[in-house]
Amino acid sequence: MWGIIATWRMAFDGVTVASQLLKEGIAVGDAIELAIRLIEDNPLYKSVGYGGLPNIQGTVQLDAAYMDGDTYQIGSVAGISDVKNPISVAKQLSKERFNSFLVGEGARDYAVLHGFDIQNMLTDRAKSEWEKRLKEVQKNKLNPYDGHDTVGMVGLDVSGSMATGTSSSGLFMKQAGRIGDSPLSGSGFYVDSDIGGATATGLGEDLMKGCLSYEIVRLMKDGYSPQAACNQAVYDFADRLTKRNETAGAFSLIAMNRHGEWGVATNVEFAFVVATEKQKPTVYVATPTKDKQTTIEKVTEEWLEQQRKHATID
Ligand code: ASP
C-alpha cells in the first residue's frame, strides 16, 4: 500500500507527481520533498515559498519542517530568507544529530554552506500586495493577518515507511521573527511509521496550544481511525479553546495511518488532496458539522475552475 494526503488545492500537482513515483516505489521522504518543492517553486501560491507573502517589514520569512517516521528524525527551519526550497534544507537538517532546528540567519548560512539555491523570494506581485495591505491596515485598522495557508503532507510508501513535511510563509504581515506551528514538531506535524502521521494548517498561535498533530497520532496509536482521531482531537480542542478564550482561530488537520487510511477535521471550510493505491489524486472539501463530525465532498469542476482563476488573478 502507498498513499499521500496534503493540505489545500495548491498541493494537487505535487501530489499527482508524488503519487506516480510512490506507485513506482520511490521512498516516501523523496516523494514528499519533491511534491513540496513544486509548490514552493510556483509563484502563484502566495503562502508557500517563492511568491509567498512577506512580513510587516516586507521580508519573506519562511518556515518548513521534515520528519522521518521510521527514525523520528526531524529537521526544521524557521524565519529563513532567500532560500529557494526550505523543505529541502529541513530534510537535510533531519540527518543532523545536533542543531537540527535552525532559525533566521543561521538557517540561511547552513543552506549556503550546503549548496542549496539562494534567491530573492519576494515576487513583484507579493510586494505590491504588501504595499496595498500596509496602506489599508493603516487606514482602516483591518485584521492584517488574512492570507495564509501551509502546505503539509503525510505519506506512506510501498515499503511501509512514512514521512511528513510542511512549508509556509506563515501569516501575511506577521511581525519580523514570528514563527508559526509549521516547523514545530507535534503542532504542525508528527509521524510514526508504526502508527501514522498528521499535519496542520491554520492559525499557528492556536495550533501550538493544542499540539494537535501529535494528539491525532496518539489517538491513532490508541486504535482510533484517522477520521475518528481527527474529529476527536480537533473538535474537542476547538471547544476547550473557545470556552477559555471566547474565540478559536481557523485550523484544519489531516492524517493518514500506516494502512493508507486517511482523515480530516477542520473548523472552517477546507480543501485537501488525497491519492492512494486505491484512489487517483482527488481534491476534497471538508466542513465541520454541528455534531462534531466532518463532511467530506469531492470538489466539482466549477470549484476547480474558480480556484484556478483566483490563483492567477488575485
Ligand atoms: N500555520 C501557519 C502559521 O501559523 C499558517 C497557515 O497554515 O495558514 O504560520
Side-chain angles (χ1 to χ4, degrees), residues 22-172:
L22 285 167
K23 194 168 153 186
E24 288 163 16
I26 193 180
V28 65
D30 295 336
I32 281 185
E33 180 188 4
L34 198 119
I36 294 182
R37 282 177 72 107
L38 286 177
I39 299 157
E40 290 177 336
D41 289 345
N42 190 331
L44 288 182
Y45 302 136
K46 296 187 286 186
S47 57
V48 176
Y50 184 57
L53 291 169
N55 68 15
I56 192 143
Q57 298 177 343
T59 307
V60 181
Q61 290 189 316
L62 303 163
D63 297 342
Y66 173 82
M67 181 169 185
D68 180 320
D70 289 351
T71 60
Y72 299 130
Q73 266 155 229
I74 293 172
S76 291
V77 290
I80 192 171
S81 293
D82 305 325
V83 171
K84 185 168 175 277
N85 294 110
I87 186 62
S88 297
V89 183
K91 186 159 181 272
Q92 175 73 28
L93 279 166
S94 74
K95 296 175 187 143
E96 304 281 355
R97 176 73 184 93
F98 302 106
N99 307 302
S100 53
F101 188 165
L102 298 177
V103 305
E105 279 293 295
R108 187 181 181 282
D109 290 349
Y110 179 92
V112 171
L113 192 70
H114 287 80
F116 289 97
D117 293 336
I118 301 299
Q119 73 173 42
N120 176 12
M121 300 298 275
L122 185 66
T123 57
D124 290 345
R125 182 193 196 200
K127 189 171 173 220
S128 61
E129 203 150 316
W130 169 73
E131 286 166 348
K132 198 171 132 215
R133 183 66 67 91
L134 206 57
K135 281 191 203 129
E136 281 169 2
V137 169
Q138 280 158 357
K139 231 178 40 202
N140 301 327
K141 297 216 172 347
L142 294 172
N143 174 6
Y145 300 119
D146 293 340
H148 52 87
D149 287 336
T150 299
V151 63
M153 297 191 184
V154 178
L156 163 73
D157 67 24
V158 286
S159 71
S161 293
M162 296 193 76
T164 178
T166 61
S167 186
S168 183
S169 52
L171 300 189
F172 182 24

Side-chain angles (χ1 to χ4, degrees), residues 250-288:
F251 45 78
S252 310
L253 278 287
I254 54 172
M256 180 168 277
N257 69 12
R258 69 190 181 94
H259 306 297
E261 297 156 347
W262 53 270
V264 55
T266 178
N267 60 1
V268 286
E269 186 180 289
F270 164 63
F272 63 101
V273 188
V274 186
T276 68
E277 200 172 302
K278 294 185 190 147
Q279 74 180 109
K280 64 179 197 319
T282 309
V283 184
Y284 293 95
V285 168
T287 35

